[in-house]
Each structure stands twice: as C-alpha cells, then as structure tokens.
Amino acid sequence: MERDVAPHTQTSELRYELERHDIGYSGRIPYTFTNRLSGPVIFHNCEGDVRPLLQVRRQGRWVDAWRPLMRACASSPLEIPPEGARTDTLVLVGAPPGSNVSPNFVFEDLEGVYRLYWFQAETLKPVGPPDDAWRVSNPFVLTLR
C-alpha cells in the first residue's frame, strides 16, 4: 500500500497489528492531524478525550467499524488553527461484535484496510466539497498478531 498524503490526518505507519486478549483486541495507532483549511477546526470533547472512530473499507465503501466509548460531558472545544497540528496516539481497545464489553468492533473479520474518521470535529466556515475530506486519515492496514 502506498501512502495517500492528501488527508489532513496521517498515521505514522501504513500497517498495524492488533493483539488478541481474553476479552478482545488492542493496538496503538500514532497519528498527526494538520489543519490545512483556511479556518479553525473544532474538536468537541469530554475532559480532553478526543479520539477518532475507525472506518473499514468493505465492498468499495467506507463503513464504521469501531467507535470509542466516551463519557457524555461537554468540555471546552479543542481548537486547531489553520496550519496548526495535533499529534496523538489512538489507544485502540475493542471487544468482538455481540460482546457485552464496550467498545466493540462491528465485524468479526478485523483484518483489512482502515482509516481514522473525526466524527466529533467541525469547521466554523464551509470548506467546500467534499466536506468530509479533511475528517479522514490516510488508509492503513490492520492485521491480527
């Protein structure tokens, strides 16, 4: 897989391994979000918890595959100014689908091509089509260890 440099979020690698545990899977995905828009990007959060969800490529479409379990509070938004950046690591922990443990993955078959998606972010002014282009990361592969 070649790196797609267009997305505003770039992962440190193009392949990550998930480790199997008794109640699910875990892994770490370092990334950097760089705001290349003309206005600020606002990340809504709860006490600084700003984590993207995972989407997987299935039958030619991107579909939600895992969403972080987040507390339901409203803290001051995190604002990334134009040309500003935020580097962090998604600590990914998830149970198999149908488990009584949250968060869980949507699909049994976890291996595939994924991307990060900023579901809790917004811009203060229109960015033009396609509106979601700034919300996603480069594609990367998840495999099981």
Side-chain angles (χ1 to χ4, degrees):
M1 171 179 290
E2 290 187 30
R3 180 174 294 277
D4 179 356
V5 297
H8 293 211
T9 300
Q10 293 291 312
T11 59
S12 64
E13 304 293 331
L14 295 177
R15 177 177 297 275
Y16 297 96
E17 287 186 338
L18 293 178
E19 188 174 329
R20 176 80 166 120
H21 300 284
D22 290 340
I23 60 169
Y25 307 91
S26 69
R28 299 173 65 82
I29 303 172
Y31 62 84
T32 298
F33 171 83
T34 303
N35 180 4
R36 296 192 304 255
L37 302 174
S38 61
V41 171
I42 305 300
F43 289 90
H44 300 285
N45 67 89
C46 176
E47 296 179 348
D49 186 1
V50 179
R51 290 180 286 166
L53 64 79
L54 279 179
Q55 292 183 324
V56 65
R57 187 106 173 133
R58 293 282 163 111
Q59 300 175 350
R61 295 180 37 237
W62 290 104
V63 294
D64 294 353
W66 175 89
R67 181 181 289 263
L69 184 61
M70 301 174 82
R71 294 180 27 211
C73 73
S75 299
S76 296
L78 172 66
E79 182 176 317
I80 309 295
E83 302 308 319
R86 181 177 193 281
T87 299
D88 203 349
T89 299
L90 174 62
V91 178
L92 179 62
V93 177
S99 171
N100 62 354
V101 177
S102 291
N104 54 5
F105 287 93
V106 173
F107 302 102
E108 284 287 337
D109 177 18
L110 295 182
E111 295 189 319
V113 176
Y114 287 79
R115 70 182 184 182
L116 304 176
Y117 180 84
W118 293 106
F119 66 96
Q120 76 284 45
E122 68 177 342
T123 60
L124 297 181
K125 57 183 171 179
V127 296
D131 190 45
D132 279 354
W134 62 270
R135 292 179 183 269
V136 300
S137 76
N138 59 284
F140 56 88
V141 173
L142 280 184
T143 60
L144 294 176
R145 183 181 295 174

